[in-house]
Amino acid sequence: MFNPPRTLTNPIAPAMVDAARSVGLPSFKNQNGRMMEGDGGASIVDLNVQDGRRRSIFRAYTFPYMDRPNLTVLTQALVTRVTIEGKRATGVEILYEGKVHRVRAGREVILSLGALHTPKVLMQSGLGDQDELGSFAIPCVQHLPGVGRNFMNHCGFACIWEYQHPLPPRNSAVEATFFWKSNPKLVVPDLQTFQVEVPACSPESAAQFNPPQSSWTLFGSVVRPESRGQIHLTGPTPLHPIRIENNILSHPEDLKAAIACVELCREIGNSAPLRPFAKREVMPGNLKGPDLESFVRDALMSTAHQTCTAKMGRDSMSVVDGALKVFGIDNLRVADGSVMPRVTTGNTMAPCVIIGERAGEILKLEHKL
């Protein structure tokens, strides 16, 4: 039997690890390192949890220093654009309490708005594809055709079972996971599934299958997708929303991998170690062919791992260099998940923290702080 950490409180999580092992997946002490870089496996997840609740990066990194005189945090402030003189970033413009304010940068501007709004602010500032900017009469300061391109995300699909005897969710309600390959010829796993201790599915799936509240989920996802999307402006002003062109499952290999993931989730979810926790399989059931493909498409949900829209690199579609500097503009860097050339195989929180840590090291060295 798998021996979970002492802090684990919901018995269905170690049962899922045992279930994965029963169909041939090895088990590990955690999901990092060998489990993600080898053939895959199952484990209890590492959680950033305090007193049973997920602890945010803001709470861990920023909140303890809120009383510092050199730190100002403005909530409900909208960054509208970077102010640029010639080819040099000089600060940012923000909309705050109904008024436009300009904040001048003493040394540099670092954008960390995420893969959806970093490209929006760059484009609103005149940094992007000159033809797209021109369609909204935004003067092009620097032609960077990769801004908003290369959009990647992990999107998943739920397989759900009704509890035999209801169990309350604990910690983050996600305490076990497995990685595996949709094709044994792959070098590393391209599938990840989390066990969720509550029903978690798309509105379309909910309308079709009506899962009971007392249910649990194997939420699978394709974590090395080939599909790419794009972020577009919809108007010339910062108040115009962006248009997200997901293109999820547009590449045929991604659909094949998604179907393989659903089949593996069903095999694990219906295996002997999880039978004491399952009254019945709610969804998808034994679907095949076009019906299974339709299920996957209807079940798709974002896992909020949006990345790669201002990618680091050296080709014509790259936006930042290895020091996170925006090409062609002085004193401007990006430090968030948008700089990833491709989405990481696992969750993106820790990689984004590392990007932030690396940005801090670069700034300390460059400015001798």
Side-chain angles (χ1 to χ4, degrees), residues 12-300:
I12 197 172
M16 195 222 77
V17 178
D18 288 337
R21 189 169 58 250
S22 76
V23 302
L25 280 66
S27 60
F28 293 80
K29 290 184 178 180
N30 61 57
Q31 76 267 33
N32 300 307
R34 290 181 303 141
M35 178 169 145
M36 296 173 65
E37 296 169 359
D39 290 331
S43 75
I44 300 302
V45 299
D46 292 330
L47 296 173
N48 193 20
V49 169
Q50 186 177 45
D51 299 327
R53 299 184 65 183
R54 186 168 181 174
R55 187 171 173 83
S56 72
I57 297 304
F58 170 81
R59 181 66 58 172
Y61 271 79
T62 308
F63 188 77
Y65 305 108
M66 289 286 283
D67 58 348
R68 286 188 173 183
N70 61 345
L71 172 65
T72 301
V73 176
L74 292 180
T75 60
Q76 304 300 316
L78 176 68
V79 179
T80 57
R81 67 185 183 97
V82 178
T83 56
I84 300 173
E85 296 176 6
K87 295 286 186 175
R88 179 175 175 271
T90 59
V92 293
E93 191 176 84
I94 65 173
L95 185 61
Y96 181 61
E97 295 183 340
K99 296 181 180 180
V100 175
H101 301 264
R102 284 194 170 187
V103 181
R104 192 164 184 86
R107 292 181 178 175
E108 292 192 28
V109 175
I110 297 93
L111 293 182
S112 188
L113 302 170
L116 299 181
H117 288 281
T118 283
K120 179 185 181 183
V121 169
L122 289 173
M123 288 188 281
Q124 293 286 354
S125 307
L127 312 177
D129 182 85
Q130 58 188 3
D131 292 335
E132 183 164 1
L133 298 179
S135 68
F136 296 109
I138 298 174
C140 183
V141 177
Q142 180 68 34
H143 176 56
L144 291 171
V147 172
R149 305 288 179 91
N150 195 47
F151 175 61
M152 299 186 73
N153 191 8
H154 293 152
C155 287
F157 25 83
C159 301
I160 295 180
W161 287 259
E162 184 178 3
Y163 273 109
Q164 184 79 257
H165 304 288
L167 291 173
R170 302 297 173 89
N171 295 314
S172 66
V174 180
E175 298 179 297
T177 188
F178 65 80
F179 285 86
W180 204 239
K181 298 177 182 179
S182 63
N183 184 330
K185 295 180 181 180
L186 294 174
V187 177
V188 294
D190 64 331
L191 308 176
Q192 183 183 18
T193 293
F194 280 104
Q195 183 184 56
V196 186
E197 296 160 5
V198 295
C201 64
S202 69
E204 292 82 358
S205 292
Q208 181 178 355
F209 293 95
N210 192 27
Q213 285 301 305
S214 179
S215 299
W216 53 272
T217 305
L218 289 181
F219 190 85
S221 61
V222 178
V223 290
R224 293 184 65 82
E226 297 296 333
S227 304
R228 300 291 189 276
Q230 189 171 349
I231 305 301
H232 297 277
L233 297 178
T234 61
T237 75
L239 296 181
H240 282 96
I242 56 173
R243 176 168 64 86
I244 303 171
E245 188 178 311
N246 276 292
N247 285 341
I248 297 299
L249 300 186
S250 59
H251 195 288
E253 292 302 316
D254 292 347
L255 181 59
K256 288 181 184 178
I259 290 172
C261 189
V262 170
E263 291 172 339
L264 179 57
C265 286
R266 293 194 65 239
E267 183 180 8
I268 291 173
N270 290 320
S271 66
L274 281 170
R275 283 176 197 154
F277 301 91
K279 182 178 180 180
R280 65 184 177 99
E281 180 184 352
V282 177
M283 57 184 272
N286 191 28
L287 302 178
K288 300 293 183 183
D291 291 336
L292 182 54
E293 180 178 327
S294 295
F295 167 78
V296 169
R297 293 190 182 281
D298 286 343
L300 277 177

